[in-house]
Amino acid sequence: MTAPGWVEHAIWWQVYPLGSVGAFPASEPPRPEEHRLRRLVDWFDHAIALGASGVALGPIFASRTHGYDTTDHYRIDPRLGDDADFDYLVAEAHGRGLRILLDGVFNHVGVDFPGYRQAANDDSAARWFRGRPGRFHTFEGHSELITLNHDNPEVIDYTADVMAHWLERGADGWRLDAAYTVPERFWASTLPRVRERFGDAWFVGELIHGDYAAVVRAATFDSATQYELWKAIWSSLNDGNFFELDWALQRHGDFLAGFAPLTFIGNHDVTRIASRLERPEHVAHALVILLTVGGVPSVYAGDELGFRGVKEERYGGDDAVRPEFGSPPLELDAFGAQMWALHQFLVGLRRRHPWLHRASTTALRLENRHYVYETRNGDDALLVALNIGDEPMRVSLPELGTAHRRVVGGSSAPPQERVDALVVEPHGWRILSPA
């Protein structure tokens, strides 16, 4: 598969709409006339200031609770608004040059899905679901999430039509929720039909484990969520073990030979990076890694403002990482202001070096708490030096087999025109380009 050309420049700002506009959880259900979806548009200039080129939306279709228990894929969730609000959102995004990525839940539906309500007394409706009435399969044990029968041609037709419907209305692509639980043959039957009409659309499957490259090929995805790299980034920083990160980046390089993964250090399903890392100064290291390696980067709304939040494995355990946003700009504390400035700098660096989309990394120095790697695509390259130790790290470029470089950014370090050696302070970092 060949992803559309615009993805080479894509940097997503991901937002969970139901939470960010206060529609879920809410002490009182919002009224349909509130048109809360339009509140997201107030944040589009913020996304532009960040340097993002697209907005990746969480679920916006009718559901009972968190959006992943879809009731009607053709209807905007009334807690958010209606079709006119969606059209307004797309027009405002595209007018600013922002793409829109939708979140499609096609593995399962909620118990209010009309076909499920009919299934107990209608054999045709029952064939839409795995199992049999009274004993339909559910998603990962959640009784309110009913698994679709992906071998039913009617489910394939329905999914393809839903995707085409919203692409026709202006969406630019789809994140395919829980794609790892759906048979690859289902996607391979569905996505080519949609691409026949919308060849410029982008499809990213949510994968958590397994052979990413093989699944992407078999399912005909354009991309997949890079959970392996996400885990290696925060784990290596917390454990003082850059060997784990280097191993993951070698795997990442193998993936890049076939597709550009969706990379992230935060999203709506995981503890925020500022809460996950044991040392606050290492958030910078995580962000440096995200924005200097190959892939399609995504920044979870609020991470760029220093938000904290811990995901818990309980009912309502996602609420802390899916908070309501006020109107921009928000008043920031010192850490938030630092995070905003750092995100702007590193996203700007990424935008100035679009070749990083397909760049692969090579370790030049690898120790538990010291990591120097080159990220390269053809003749273009950057050098990244990370120190998470308690002592300064001294780096001689000739000893690493590379020529002098120019420091373009780092912690406690102004840009420098030409260096042959570095001293990276404890828990510091540097990015260098050819002099």
Side-chain angles (χ1 to χ4, degrees), residues 76-116:
I76 298 297
D77 196 307
R79 295 172 294 174
L80 296 175
D82 54 27
D83 277 6
D85 299 317
F86 177 80
D87 293 341
Y88 173 77
L89 179 144
V90 169
E92 291 293 316
H94 288 174
R96 291 168 169 81
L98 292 170
R99 302 273 180 172
I100 292 292
L101 186 72
L102 297 180
D103 199 347
V105 187
F106 301 113
N107 173 69
H108 49 268
V109 296
V111 293
D112 290 336
F113 188 75
Y116 175 70

Side-chain angles (χ1 to χ4, degrees), residues 48 67 75 199 259 345:
I48 294 290
R75 183 187 182 198
F259 69 99
F345 170 75

Side-chain angles (χ1 to χ4, degrees), residues 31-53:
R31 298 182 302 276
E33 64 269 19
E34 291 186 52
H35 301 280
R36 293 184 173 209
L37 191 63
R38 295 182 180 236
R39 284 176 50 183
L40 292 181
V41 174
D42 296 341
W43 284 91
F44 283 178
D45 288 340
H46 168 86
I48 294 290
L50 172 66
S53 61

Side-chain angles (χ1 to χ4, degrees), residues 120-413:
N121 302 306
D122 184 331
D123 290 344
S124 178
R127 286 193 290 271
W128 272 58
F129 307 99
R130 292 278 179 197
R132 62 181 186 273
R135 299 192 66 178
F136 286 126
H137 296 187
T138 59
F139 173 59
E140 297 183 346
H142 298 284
S143 60
E144 71 280 10
L145 303 178
I146 313 302
T147 303
L148 290 166
N149 176 12
H150 298 98
D151 291 324
N152 185 338
E154 293 182 7
V155 175
I156 295 173
D157 291 343
Y158 176 83
T159 303
D161 191 69
V162 168
M163 289 185 184
H165 173 83
W166 294 105
L167 291 170
E168 182 73 38
R169 305 263 323 224
D172 296 286
W174 286 90
R175 172 195 177 269
L176 304 172
D177 181 69
Y180 56 90
T181 68
V182 178
E184 294 151 17
R185 62 184 178 273
F186 172 80
W187 302 118
S189 298
T190 305
L191 298 183
R193 292 171 52 177
V194 182
R195 285 191 179 96
E196 287 179 2
R197 291 182 57 193
F198 303 95
D200 209 33
W202 187 63
F203 301 90
V204 53
E206 184 192 15
L207 302 185
I208 296 178
H209 41 59
D211 188 342
Y212 287 16
V215 173
V216 167
R217 285 193 302 270
T220 72
F221 297 148
D222 292 311
S223 183
T225 53
Q226 227 307 24
Y227 269 92
E228 282 188 9
L229 183 59
W230 161 78
K231 192 270 179 183
I233 290 173
W234 63 259
S235 180
S236 64
L237 293 171
N238 277 348
D239 295 345
N241 179 18
F242 275 133
F243 288 91
E244 178 184 1
L245 176 60
D246 185 67
W247 183 89
L249 284 174
Q250 292 180 49
R251 284 262 297 169
H252 189 64
D254 292 339
F255 300 153
L256 285 161
F259 69 99
L262 179 69
T263 56
F264 58 93
I265 54 175
N267 66 30
H268 65 295
D269 278 330
V270 301
T271 291
R272 286 193 181 269
I273 191 67
S275 295
R276 174 73 73 173
L277 291 175
E278 295 170 1
R279 298 188 65 126
E281 60 267 47
H282 290 172
V283 177
H285 296 69
L287 191 64
V288 167
I289 297 163
L290 173 68
L291 292 169
T292 60
V293 303
V296 182
S298 176
V299 175
Y300 183 47
D303 283 358
E304 77 280 15
L305 302 175
F307 281 21
R308 294 173 174 85
V310 176
K311 176 184 171 71
E312 300 178 27
E313 295 301 327
R314 59 173 177 81
Y315 182 79
D318 295 313
D319 296 352
V321 298
R322 303 174 180 180
E324 182 174 2
F325 284 53
S327 298
L330 300 183
E331 184 175 347
L332 302 178
D333 60 16
F335 179 72
Q338 179 188 11
M339 285 298 100
W340 174 242
L342 181 63
H343 275 78
Q344 282 190 304
F345 170 75
L346 289 170
V347 172
L349 179 77
R350 180 73 174 217
R351 294 294 295 268
R352 294 191 298 275
H353 297 86
W355 54 266
L356 284 165
H357 175 73
R358 288 284 189 172
S360 58
T361 61
T362 302
L364 302 183
R365 178 175 175 180
L366 177 58
E367 299 165 355
N368 282 339
R369 292 176 171 80
H370 300 155
Y371 192 32
V372 181
Y373 63 86
E374 181 183 66
T375 183
R376 174 176 290 277
N377 184 346
D379 294 333
D380 297 306
L382 292 174
L383 197 71
V384 178
L386 305 174
N387 179 13
I388 57 171
D390 294 329
E391 301 294 332
M393 177 176 69
R394 291 171 172 79
V395 180
S396 168
L397 299 184
E399 290 179 8
L400 296 179
T402 187
H404 47 261
R405 299 285 182 116
R406 180 172 63 91
V407 176
V408 297
S411 52
S412 305

